Amino acid sequence: MTLLEGRVDDLSHDGRGVVRVDGKVFFVEGALPGEWVSFVRQKRSRKHEIGRLEQIVERSPDRVEPPCEYFGTCGGCAIQHLSSEGQVAFKQNTLLENLERIGGVRPEVLLEPVVGPISGYRRKARLGIRHVPKKGGVLVGFRERHKSYITSLDHCLALHPDVSGLLRPLHELVSKLSCHTRLPQIEVACGDAHIALVFRHLEPLNDEDNGWLKRFADDHNVDIYLQSGGLDTVIPLNPGSERTLSYCLPEYDVSIAFQPTDFVQVNGDVNRMMVNRAIELVEPGADDVILELFCGIGNFSLPLARHAGRVIAAEANVEMVSRATA
Ligand SMILES: C[S@@+](CC[C@H](N)C(=O)[O-])C[C@H]1O[C@@H](n2cnc3c(N)ncnc32)[C@H](O)[C@@H]1O
């Protein structure tokens, strides 16, 4: 196989190094901007080519040792080999490029990016489940990068620690369920006070399976929901006993309630800082009427409404609008 070499001049939206050689664009997993790398052609598509990294000839000063042992296989994280400052700069660049390319606009002033904890921050996730006898049975974790396989995880540095701590017990639970080959995924949502898990199942659960799930919910103080079809089929395992998930924005004395499958900003601390920053900039006053588009469950609208005369908020999902109260 021919060894190719080149300078990485960019990162693709999914974190692959972009190398141009003889007019061709290669996406090379694991390569960082500024690096000189050697690679072999792995796959060709109409638009671009995929290269497999062979050697980093010149290292980027932003390269770090990925903290997670699953990095590289697990698809949960894409750029752990880049310093956290480099990751923030990459995301900011992606946003600026999109604003310019799609919207044709360029900001006049750039503020310092909002940054928060770099581990244990993720309060929403979709865990995949697969039964692979050759790999020892049931696998629970994130999808592998660019593949449909599952990386079986014992822990995860990005997930909220309480969710990470559930990975092993979840693996044991799913292995015990008779329907484990018919369970494709578990949706995880963390409120400030507790965790909800939504089990997608492709066939009805039997009494024994229901019993295992109830015991798990009690033992781990989580609320379990079942989902037999689309999002409108999500029901609590134990109707009447489920608690309302919520997160607090203390600066505005707002507590926002949400359902386990609702959209919430994935990083709770960064969200609080982002809302604070937005409201400082808007400076809502008693005479102001503020329009917020894409309001979801009211993450910005509700705190804005603490100070503005009136907030008009637009959201396509009717159910989220009905929940947008505090
Ligand atoms: C990324 S979420 C953000 C929600 C909220 N602002 C927050 O910070 O949590 C985007 C929201 O926009 C809504 N949305 C998407 N397209 C829309 C449209 N064309 N009209 C109204 N709402 C839309 C979605 O239903 C979703 O709730």
Side-chain angles (χ1 to χ4, degrees):
M1 239 184 264
T2 324
L3 201 58
L4 299 162
E5 285 204 4
R7 180 80 61 197
V8 185
D9 59 18
D10 204 354
L11 266 189
S12 65
H13 69 95
D14 60 356
R16 289 188 271 202
V18 180
V19 190
R20 290 178 172 84
V21 180
D22 297 334
K24 291 200 179 79
V25 178
F26 289 84
F27 290 88
V28 184
E29 184 86 48
L32 291 175
E35 294 186 328
W36 185 267
V37 293
S38 65
F39 60 96
V40 291
R41 173 182 281 134
Q42 199 179 11
K43 220 164 106 188
R44 186 186 305 210
S45 77
R46 256 190 319 134
K47 287 194 191 137
H48 58 256
E49 314 219 25
I50 308 288
R52 192 184 64 238
L53 184 65
E54 287 292 307
Q55 206 195 343
I56 302 162
V57 183
E58 280 173 34
R59 265 171 85 91
S60 159
D62 288 332
R63 177 173 285 279
V64 294
E65 195 53 42
C68 172
E69 67 195 82
Y70 302 108
F71 181 71
T73 314
C74 175
C77 297
I79 45 173
Q80 269 191 18
H81 54 312
L82 181 58
S83 66
S84 54
E85 297 78 17
Q87 293 186 25
V88 171
F90 161 61
K91 287 175 187 170
Q92 178 161 313
N93 264 340
T94 307
L95 176 64
L96 292 175
E97 277 170 21
N98 284 335
L99 284 173
E100 184 142 15
R101 188 172 50 80
I102 305 168
V105 290
R106 195 191 291 212
E108 284 169 12
V109 183
L110 275 185
L111 304 177
E112 280 299 303
V114 170
V115 291
I118 56 168
S119 64
Y121 60 83
R122 194 165 164 176
R123 61 180 177 178
K124 281 281 275 189
R126 178 176 293 172
L127 299 170
I129 302 174
R130 274 294 145 77
H131 183 238
V132 188
K134 271 198 295 192
K135 288 193 177 172
V138 169
L139 312 178
V140 179
F142 290 115
R143 247 176 233 291
E144 290 189 3
R145 264 177 85 61
H146 314 300
K147 297 201 180 109
S148 63
Y149 306 132
I150 299 289
T151 313
S152 195
L153 302 175
D154 271 353
H155 57 269
C156 169
L157 294 177
L159 285 174
H160 187 290
D162 292 348
V163 180
S164 173
L166 286 177
L167 286 167
R168 251 175 212 263
L170 273 174
H171 180 267
E172 283 163 24
L173 167 71
V174 176
S175 305
K176 282 191 284 212
L177 300 177
S178 67
C179 59
H180 62 249
T181 56
R182 309 293 291 151
L183 292 177
Q185 73 193 35
I186 305 169
E187 200 90 44
V188 183
C190 272
D192 285 350
H194 69 277
I195 294 170
L197 304 172
V198 183
F199 285 71
R200 173 81 174 97
H201 58 100
L202 302 177
E203 60 186 50
L205 302 177
N206 66 26
D207 289 347
E208 200 184 346
D209 289 341
N210 273 317
W212 284 121
L213 289 171
K214 281 189 175 133
R215 191 181 299 176
F216 184 92
D218 289 344
D219 289 352
H220 296 280
N221 187 27
V222 297
D223 286 351
I224 291 185
Y225 292 74
L226 301 176
Q227 183 185 355
S228 58
L231 285 180
D232 54 344
T233 65
V234 174
I235 50 165
L237 174 70
N238 238 346
S241 70
E242 74 278 12
R243 296 157 289 182
T244 306
L245 289 166
S246 66
Y247 62 90
C248 188
L249 296 170
E251 289 82 352
Y252 304 94
D253 189 24
V254 164
S255 174
I256 299 189
F258 62 100
Q259 292 291 315
T261 53
D262 280 346
F263 172 88
V264 290
Q265 300 285 349
V266 79
N267 186 325
D269 290 313
V270 165
N271 182 54
R272 266 191 287 276
M273 291 185 251
M274 184 172 70
V275 170
N276 291 351
R277 168 85 64 91
I279 294 183
E280 271 165 35
L281 293 167
V282 172
E283 296 182 14
D287 296 331
D288 294 326
V289 179
I290 297 177
L291 171 66
E292 195 213 339
L293 302 179
F294 315 117
C295 72
I297 47 175
N299 186 45
F300 290 95
S301 305
L302 294 171
L304 277 168
R306 286 276 185 249
H307 299 291
R310 202 167 157 220
V311 178
I312 301 168
E315 165 56 51
N317 183 326
V318 178
E319 293 207 358
M320 289 179 101
V321 176
S322 69
R323 286 198 275 282
T325 56

